[in-house]
Amino acid sequence: MSSDLGRRHLLQAGAALGGGLVGWSARDLTHDRGAEPADAAPAPAYGGEREPFHGRHQSGIVTPPQAHALVLGLDLRSGVDRAGLARMMRLLSDDVARLSQGRPALADTLGELAVLPARLTATFGFGPRVVAELVPPRHRFDFAELPDFATDRLRPQWGQTDLVVQLCADDPVTLAHTRRVLLRDARVFARVRWTQEGFRRARGAEPAGTTMRNLMGQVDGTVNLSERDRDHDRLLWSDLPGLGGGTFLVLRRIAMDLVDWESLSRSTREHTIGRRLSDGAPLTGGAEHDAPDPHAVDDRGLPVLDRAAHVLRAQPQKPDERFLRRPYNYTRDEADPALAPDGVEAGLLFVAFAADPVAQFVPVQQRLAEQDRLNEWVTTIGSGVWAVPGGCSPEDGDYVGRELLGTPAL
Amino acid sequence: MSSDLGRRHLLQAGAALGGGLVGWSARDLTHDRGAEPADAAPAPAYGGEREPFHGRHQSGIVTPPQAHALVLGLDLRSGVDRAGLARMMRLLSDDVARLSQGRPALADTLGELAVLPARLTATFGFGPRVVAELVPPRHRFDFAELPDFATDRLRPQWGQTDLVVQLCADDPVTLAHTRRVLLRDARVFARVRWTQEGFRRARGAEPAGTTMRNLMGQVDGTVNLSERDRDHDRLLWSDLPGLGGGTFLVLRRIAMDLVDWESLSRSTREHTIGRRLSDGAPLTGGAEHDAPDPHAVDDRGLPVLDRAAHVLRAQPQKPDERFLRRPYNYTRDEADPALAPDGVEAGLLFVAFAADPVAQFVPVQQRLAEQDRLNEWVTTIGSGVWAVPGGCSPEDGDYVGRELLGTPAL
């Protein structure tokens, strides 16, 4: 783990220093005499920065979150067997190995769009049906879809799929091009069921390390599994046979009733969450990263935190009820007034990674479904879980999922 | 003009230096001890940068293009008269005056999302029906919708609307919040017919001044009306009564057949456009900003440029056939295979500003519709034109459109 990390940081530093325009001449692709007034403050361009694709783990998990995400849910076409899935994973792995390093994919005729990876990552996952039907018995494991939680209002259009591909980058043009390349190569094997687009603050808009805010205006993601946590590796990486270096991805599409939410008083919103709006600190005092005190009382002896406040209900009750959150905001035109009274569905793509979602994620979500003041304003309308294989090596013919599928180098 | 520009640059510099977190404590809103590894290279955050809202011209026209755009097409509700439109414009102008400077709008309860304007601009325009029915006779002018061009395949869902609001910013969270605020205040007056989302390279991903590439991989926007051009003001700003400091906005939604386009040889694509893919230089030589030579011949005496090459057909035939282009890329999930064989509609939001679109834009588009090798791979599916009033002053009660509508301060 630590050597992986060391290498990652080294490569990042190298990309930042070296420019990262690999295989294409920087002179061909940049211009300093554009037609537009050059009144922006000059800053080093970060488009060339690269995240490593190869390694023990897939990229896009512990990668510091990029500004943009495109999450694709795909279903395998009928008749695609284990060998077919392996061929598809070989193609897609090769595509991302190149694109993430600023090189065009094979037969990528729009290669000019490939020169700025902007920290592009791709994270591939297999759904329960794939594990049950295409993973060989020696690697098969008990893998059910997530249970229905009482507060869920799931819409099939955002449901469980055979495959998930989480694409992230700091640049939306890079993501658009990457999606095209991947869908072209996946087309004969799979069809897209849904696409979920997410965004955070743009790269560089605010200081690095700032916890993101969701579209409710709240600081979101304060309590998170950190690489500095001694349980990090155990809680994140699976040790199931065939899944070494892998994990599980949980995606929940959480729609927000912003029209109602923004009509509430500031105090009501703060007590619903249990945190200050201004800086995300618990209402019981301290700063953002301090723990809330469920026993704190005010001057009159009354509890500061409502027992149903989101911050308390979401708190782990056992040390293992923790996971790595990597959420994105989303908006989408939506004609259904039940979902979007003002025509815009807005919410959170809750993305979480855990070695064992049943032990780590499900109890937390059960508790929130039982009672959480926030439930009045948020509704989960999509849900899925996927096994995320470990990463692949740069050796010729390796690809994501090869160990789990037990298939040969291709 | 020049003093406007001077002030703009001064304000930008001030924002960059001063931080731009107006009315909110920067300490409350930033954190340097986030849970995420701080391995990004430290760079000054630009989220606080502000574009001026008040002035002779609206913002978002000569503003160097931001990374993200949300263009909203709205129709007035039945019964909304001139006074109603004025009230709406008063509310929306006030909202943007605040939000663009990093301050929450009035009754903006999610003000934490308003602190990073990231060069937010809003550009408002009135469609032909509004000019014909709500503008007083002394300011009314002959203003027809754009003609149908032979190659257009217009879809009503992307058609002409009563109003257009072009929102631009370098940050997608800022845009999402701004849209919410504006739609909330517009709701009783107008309904949204369509929303068109656009993107360019992220702020800072490539050097400032780089001409953007569209999703076909081509450099797009090389030939453009520049502030350094002596005809700039005459070709951009209208002198119609009531429209002083204003202009016209043309929006064309141009879908691209990327599946077919990317199957072409590099040479075919270059000859279709008439420019090199690598750097956008004309095939007749030189660099990006050099003019193509329609008479150049190759070693065998054959013309280098096809007479139907896009670069030649798009060239102005008269000095006034020029306008300010400010395009954005777009992608959108689309189920209709005629439009998107791979499920993703991709293309260009062609946004152009001109003092007289009939004299400046229509002849160019007519010529392209008659003959342009590119027509085989691009189809305009949406079209509209709007009169863009001049800017408003910071005086109490002023708003965009007041002069044109002849309505009082409110």
Side-chain angles (χ1 to χ4, degrees), chain A residues 280-314:
Chain A
L283 293 182
T284 49
E288 181 197 343
H289 292 276
D290 291 326
D293 175 2
H295 309 297
V297 291
D298 65 15
D299 296 345
R300 292 169 298 167
L302 297 170
V304 175
L305 284 178
D306 186 314
R307 285 174 58 190
H310 179 74
V311 73
L312 289 184
R313 298 296 295 172

Side-chain angles (χ1 to χ4, degrees), chain A residues 165-321:
Chain A
V165 185
Q166 177 198 249
L167 302 175
C168 299
D170 283 326
D171 181 275
V173 178
T174 297
L175 276 189
H177 177 65
T178 303
R179 167 165 61 169
R180 274 198 59 68
V181 169
L182 267 55
L183 290 188
R184 189 193 56 188
D185 284 344
R187 201 175 305 157
V188 299
F189 305 99
R191 60 176 193 82
V192 176
R193 174 111 68 88
W194 45 249
T195 304
Q196 305 199 46
E197 292 194 39
F199 57 88
R200 293 167 158 244
R201 285 288 186 196
R203 164 84 180 261
E206 60 187 4
T210 308
T211 309
M212 81 166 226
R213 284 185 187 268
N214 61 36
L215 295 177
M216 291 177 135
Q218 295 288 150
V219 170
D220 194 310
T222 300
V223 178
N224 211 352
L225 192 58
S226 156
E227 288 182 296
R228 288 169 294 208
D229 192 309
R230 62 178 180 176
D231 293 321
H232 175 269
D233 287 10
R234 184 177 63 81
L235 292 175
L236 185 56
W237 306 121
S238 174
D239 55 7
L240 286 170
L243 212 61
T247 180
F248 289 84
L249 185 158
V250 170
L251 170 62
R252 310 265 297 165
R253 185 176 179 94
I254 303 175
M256 299 169 167
D257 180 357
L258 292 182
V259 171
D260 203 52
W261 177 253
E262 70 176 5
S263 73
L264 303 174
S265 74
R266 194 169 181 85
S267 165
T268 301
R269 284 180 287 136
E270 290 188 328
H271 280 90
T272 297
I273 304 290
R275 292 185 179 278
R276 275 207 304 253
L277 271 162
S278 60
D279 62 357
L283 293 182
T284 49
E288 181 197 343
H289 292 276
D290 291 326
D293 175 2
H295 309 297
V297 291
D298 65 15
D299 296 345
R300 292 169 298 167
L302 297 170
V304 175
L305 284 178
D306 186 314
R307 285 174 58 190
H310 179 74
V311 73
L312 289 184
R313 298 296 295 172
Q315 248 184 347
Q317 301 299 301
K318 297 176 185 167
D320 283 10
E321 289 178 5

